[in-house]
Amino acid sequence: MKKRSVTSRDVAALAGVSQSAVSRCFSPRASISDGTREKVLAAAKTLGYRPNSIARSLITRSSRTIAVVMSQLDNPFYAQMLDRASRLFQVKGYHLLLFMVSADGESKGVMGEILQSQVDGILMLSASLSSSFAQECVERSIPVVLINRTVDSDSVSQVASDNYHGGYWVGSFLAAAGHERCAFISGLPSASTNVHRRRGFLDALAAYGLTCWAEERGDYQADMARQATHRLCGGDSRPDAIFAANDHMAIAVIETLRTDFSLRVPQDVSVVGFDDIPLAALPSYRLTTVRQPLEEMVVQAAEQLLWQIAEGRIVAVNQTLPIVPILRESARCPTDVHI
Amino acid sequence: MKKRSVTSRDVAALAGVSQSAVSRCFSPRASISDGTREKVLAAAKTLGYRPNSIARSLITRSSRTIAVVMSQLDNPFYAQMLDRASRLFQVKGYHLLLFMVSADGESKGVMGEILQSQVDGILMLSASLSSSFAQECVERSIPVVLINRTVDSDSVSQVASDNYHGGYWVGSFLAAAGHERCAFISGLPSASTNVHRRRGFLDALAAYGLTCWAEERGDYQADMARQATHRLCGGDSRPDAIFAANDHMAIAVIETLRTDFSLRVPQDVSVVGFDDIPLAALPSYRLTTVRQPLEEMVVQAAEQLLWQIAEGRIVAVNQTLPIVPILRESARCPTDVHI
DNA sequence: CTGTTAGCGCTTTCAG
DNA sequence: CTGAAAGCGCTAACAG
């Protein structure tokens, strides 16, 4: 057991004031005279007193804590998002409680724990939320914001980049450059990001009178993308362009193409990704990709969460942020590029 | 304000039992009859009751929460560690509270917040801890485990890989292969990992009658490593081997060598890293490096933390885990390799 | 096995 | 401005 810690009572006794005076001393906007404050602060210092935020949370009904749910910390894109979110909330006086779930589907158990942990808000970084859970959050008036994932509920906020048009851009870019056998390596089939990127890609291809030459499943994972590349190029004919649903996979595709098939990128096969992770810019890859406004997405999500918390009510907002095509050298370009 | 939530009282009233019966129902090993349990559970379900863990923490003096302090989420090595740690603690029924600090030195403010947040333990992932803080943690009997960082205090536990011998291996490997101008790109000067890797490297070189040809500061950051490479190779002569204090920098070094100086690795310059991040194994790099037992380090750190928490007392232990040299093709090999 | 009774450490009216 | 008093929701003796 932990040894009894120093309480506001102890400080009060030493300072010769009431316990509530001590409390006021550590409350932002409470009226207290300078004299008392000094006595209290002095006593607090000698005793090494720190207000117990658990007790504070219990009474204020606010833990100043945000739950972050995510699944893929190995994808630098989400690692970076977490980094940003953490620093951002820290500045606002909130702490992050981290929950990792398996890639697909939410862990039912985990969501239960989140609810019990009395967080003030929930941030889902590309993790799925069941509508029954969304419902329960609303009932407890805990705001939820999904980043890059949608849910069948009109009560949670969503922030996403324009995945459809990102996919559309890739499709038209590839088609305009004269590619005729465009393949798609998908992300998680259940992920809205994947669905939208794919839809956009297919629609663009169709607009050029093309169909997707082949489609393989990659689940947003590097090693699955590697296998998908093998299926794509192992036969008699092979694609002349591959759109991987994210950069993480696209890098794996490029490596596989070069190493296992001695194919050059983009001379033999064009490769396009999605996200624009730092790695994509390295000379070894020079990956043509679609940049998601990472920073902006986090900022918007945080703002929505914070605003709802301050307001004390749930106001669901759907935001779609514009993407930015990034032209590098991993894909052959149309003669004159129309972005 | 949050709407009043369902409490154990409400459940008790509906189930027609006492409030403490409800409490027992949700406590692991409390004696309660099946009949009562069913009634309570039924009532709880219809009301959507979830025990408030804040209130529970207040009385049990245990938040079942671990603070994780780290600075570099962009380094995949630490992202991976966080991932592992998170899942590991989750299984044990603990939650992680994430605190990001600036790369060097601890944020004084952050450590204060950690103390107030009443965590049961603190895990420092390559983040520094001042001895005064270590002291304060001991006084509150909050166990602390540092991973890959040491602190001048005999009351906190430390888990690290054998950085000295890792560096030593690199030095002797490079020297044995006949390299004569070995350069070192350092990590953070204040980091114990950097100090030990460097010391080992220098000692090995000395054993071969060599000295470090040049030393540049990289602070464990990719872009600083790029600049360091420029300083190293921009002059009249250049090193024939570069030891970067971690893989993250080594990758940047290779890219820079190839792109900005048209140098081949390892024919013109050998490059060795440290960590063995997933990227290091990619065909584009095939980085010779020193693997740290990531999984094992996290497991050991978690065990120590959990054990101390269970025991209720601080027992500082220093663990040094063996490293594993990974031979790939980014560095020229000695004719016959003695590992 | 169950209900009653004290609090955990703090914030927050409410008088003075 | 300050102290006294009443809980926040729950656990943990303690009787019955």
Side-chain angles (χ1 to χ4, degrees):
Chain A
M1 281 296 93
K2 202 149 284 177
K3 74 179 67 163
R4 214 181 79 54
S5 48
V6 186
T7 75
S8 58
R9 255 198 167 66
D10 303 329
V11 177
L14 181 62
V17 298
S18 76
Q19 179 270 333
S20 40
V22 178
S23 170
R24 287 194 185 93
C25 222
F26 290 91
S27 292
R29 53 205 174 354
S31 46
I32 193 163
S33 73
D34 288 354
T36 323
R37 162 176 290 115
E38 275 174 37
K39 277 191 298 186
V40 172
L41 256 31
K45 177 170 287 178
T46 67
L47 294 179
Y49 168 74
R50 306 246 184 205
N52 179 330
S53 58
I54 294 279
R56 172 178 292 174
S57 295
L58 183 59
I59 193 161
T60 60
R61 290 138 173 294
S62 147
S63 58
R64 295 196 80 79
T65 294
I66 305 287
V68 175
V69 186
M70 58 192 301
S71 66
Q72 271 202 100
L73 218 34
D74 58 324
N75 182 150
F77 188 74
Y78 292 105
Q80 215 173 331
M81 274 206 166
L82 178 59
D83 185 303
R84 294 289 173 288
S86 168
R87 298 181 195 275
L88 213 157
F89 278 111
Q90 218 157 282
V91 169
K92 300 287 188 179
Y94 282 80
H95 296 156
L96 295 192
L97 210 45
L98 181 64
F99 294 87
M100 300 295 299
V101 298
S102 59
D104 49 350
E106 82 198 23
S107 268
K108 195 151 174 13
V110 169
M111 293 309 292
E113 287 181 39
I114 292 178
L115 257 25
Q116 296 193 18
S117 62
Q118 308 294 115
V119 295
D120 292 351
I122 303 177
L123 181 61
M124 315 270 310
L125 285 190
S126 201
S128 311
L129 184 69
S130 74
S131 50
S132 70
F133 237 113
Q135 186 52 34
E136 195 162 355
C137 291
V138 174
E139 278 162 13
R140 291 158 198 266
S141 55
I142 299 175
V144 180
V145 176
L146 302 192
I147 288 190
N148 258 350
R149 210 47 73 101
T150 56
V151 67
D152 168 32
S153 160
D154 53 356
S155 51
V156 310
S157 296
Q158 296 161 208
V159 173
S161 55
D162 194 341
N163 290 295
Y164 177 82
H165 286 104
Y168 198 97
W169 176 79
V170 176
S172 48
F173 178 79
L174 254 21
H179 295 91
E180 295 178 327
R181 297 185 305 286
C182 299
F184 178 60
I185 296 184
S186 76
L188 276 173
S190 60
S192 61
T193 45
N194 179 65
V195 172
H196 296 151
R197 288 170 199 176
R198 175 176 176 280
R199 188 71 267 156
F201 181 63
L202 263 30
D203 285 356
L205 252 30
Y208 278 80
L210 294 172
T211 55
C212 189
W213 184 77
E215 199 166 332
E216 293 288 348
R217 187 165 160 179
D219 285 11
Y220 287 137
Q221 279 165 2
D223 61 328
M224 286 199 57
R226 198 176 43 68
Q227 294 167 33
T229 307
H230 273 268
R231 287 193 297 275
L232 244 25
C233 301
D236 297 335
S237 62
R238 53 172 173 72
D240 56 2
I242 298 178
F243 171 31
N246 74 0
D247 286 357
H248 198 48
M249 295 195 295
I251 302 273
V253 170
I254 293 180
E255 292 283 2
T256 308
L257 252 20
R258 286 179 181 157
T259 309
D260 299 354
F261 296 97
S262 305
L263 257 20
R264 294 162 306 162
V265 175
Q267 294 88 333
D268 302 318
V269 187
S270 288
V271 176
V272 180
F274 209 109
D275 284 351
D276 196 29
I277 59 179
L279 220 53
L282 292 190
S284 292
Y285 306 109
R286 304 286 309 142
L287 186 65
T288 290
T289 188
V290 178
R291 175 181 298 162
Q292 297 196 67
L294 183 151
E295 194 86 36
E296 180 74 3
M297 291 170 81
V298 175
V299 169
Q300 289 300 330
E303 256 176 31
Q304 287 204 27
L305 226 29
L306 260 14
W307 188 83
Q308 293 185 66
I309 291 170
E311 203 73 1
R313 64 201 170 91
I314 308 295
V315 183
V317 176
N318 272 342
Q319 273 187 86
T320 302
L321 272 27
I323 47 81
V324 184
I326 303 290
L327 269 80
R328 297 204 183 92
E329 288 84 52
S330 70
R332 219 166 61 218
C333 286
T335 318
D336 53 333
V337 181
H338 301 290
I339 301 179
Chain B
M1 283 295 92
K2 202 149 284 181
K3 73 179 67 162
R4 210 182 81 54
S5 48
V6 187
T7 75
S8 57
R9 254 198 168 66
D10 303 329
V11 177
L14 181 62
V17 297
S18 77
Q19 180 268 334
S20 44
V22 178
S23 170
R24 288 195 184 94
C25 222
F26 291 90
S27 291
R29 55 207 172 350
S31 48
I32 192 163
S33 74
D34 287 353
T36 323
R37 164 177 288 116
E38 274 176 36
K39 277 192 298 186
V40 171
L41 255 29
K45 178 170 287 178
T46 67
L47 293 180
Y49 168 75
R50 306 247 183 204
N52 180 331
S53 57
I54 294 279
R56 170 178 295 174
S57 296
L58 183 58
I59 192 161
T60 60
R61 293 137 171 297
S62 147
S63 58
R64 294 196 79 80
T65 293
I66 305 287
V68 175
V69 186
M70 59 193 298
S71 66
Q72 268 202 99
L73 218 33
D74 59 323
N75 182 152
F77 188 74
Y78 291 106
Q80 215 172 332
M81 273 207 166
L82 178 59
D83 185 303
R84 293 291 175 284
S86 168
R87 299 182 196 273
L88 212 157
F89 278 111
Q90 220 157 279
V91 169
K92 299 286 188 182
Y94 282 80
H95 296 155
L96 295 193
L97 211 46
L98 181 66
F99 294 87
M100 300 295 300
V101 298
S102 60
D104 49 351
E106 84 199 18
S107 268
K108 198 152 174 8
V110 168
M111 293 308 293
E113 288 182 38
I114 291 179
L115 257 24
Q116 296 193 20
S117 61
Q118 308 293 117
V119 295
D120 293 350
I122 303 178
L123 180 63
M124 316 271 308
L125 285 189
S126 201
S128 310
L129 184 69
S130 73
S131 50
S132 70
F133 238 112
Q135 186 51 35
E136 196 162 355
C137 290
V138 173
E139 277 162 13
R140 291 158 197 267
S141 55
I142 299 175
V144 180
V145 176
L146 302 194
I147 289 190
N148 258 350
R149 211 48 76 100
T150 55
V151 68
D152 169 31
S153 159
D154 54 357
S155 51
V156 310
S157 296
Q158 295 162 208
V159 174
S161 54
D162 194 342
N163 290 296
Y164 177 83
H165 285 105
Y168 198 97
W169 176 79
V170 176
S172 48
F173 179 79
L174 254 22
H179 294 92
E180 295 177 327
R181 297 185 307 284
C182 299
F184 179 60
I185 297 184
S186 76
L188 276 173
S190 60
S192 61
T193 46
N194 179 65
V195 173
H196 296 150
R197 288 169 200 177
R198 176 176 176 281
R199 189 69 266 153
F201 181 64
L202 263 32
D203 285 355
L205 251 32
Y208 279 80
L210 294 173
T211 55
C212 189
W213 184 77
E215 199 167 332
E216 292 288 348
R217 186 165 161 179
D219 284 12
Y220 288 136
Q221 280 164 1
D223 61 327
M224 284 196 61
R226 198 177 44 67
Q227 293 168 36
T229 307
H230 272 268
R231 287 194 297 275
L232 243 28
C233 302
D236 296 334
S237 61
R238 54 173 170 72
D240 56 4
I242 298 178
F243 172 32
N246 74 0
D247 286 356
H248 198 50
M249 294 196 295
I251 301 272
V253 169
I254 293 181
E255 292 283 2
T256 308
L257 251 21
R258 287 179 181 157
T259 308
D260 298 355
F261 295 97
S262 305
L263 256 21
R264 293 162 306 163
V265 175
Q267 295 87 336
D268 300 319
V269 187
S270 289
V271 176
V272 180
F274 209 109
D275 284 352
D276 194 31
I277 59 178
L279 220 52
L282 292 190
S284 292
Y285 306 109
R286 304 289 307 145
L287 185 66
T288 290
T289 188
V290 177
R291 176 182 296 163
Q292 298 195 68
L294 184 150
E295 195 85 35
E296 180 73 4
M297 291 170 81
V298 175
V299 169
Q300 290 299 331
E303 255 175 32
Q304 288 205 29
L305 226 30
L306 259 15
W307 188 83
Q308 293 185 68
I309 291 171
E311 203 73 0
R313 64 203 169 90
I314 307 295
V315 182
V317 176
N318 272 343
Q319 275 186 86
T320 303
L321 272 28
I323 47 83
V324 183
I326 303 291
L327 270 81
R328 298 205 184 90
E329 287 82 54
S330 69
R332 219 166 63 218
C333 287
T335 318
D336 55 329
V337 181
H338 300 290
I339 299 179

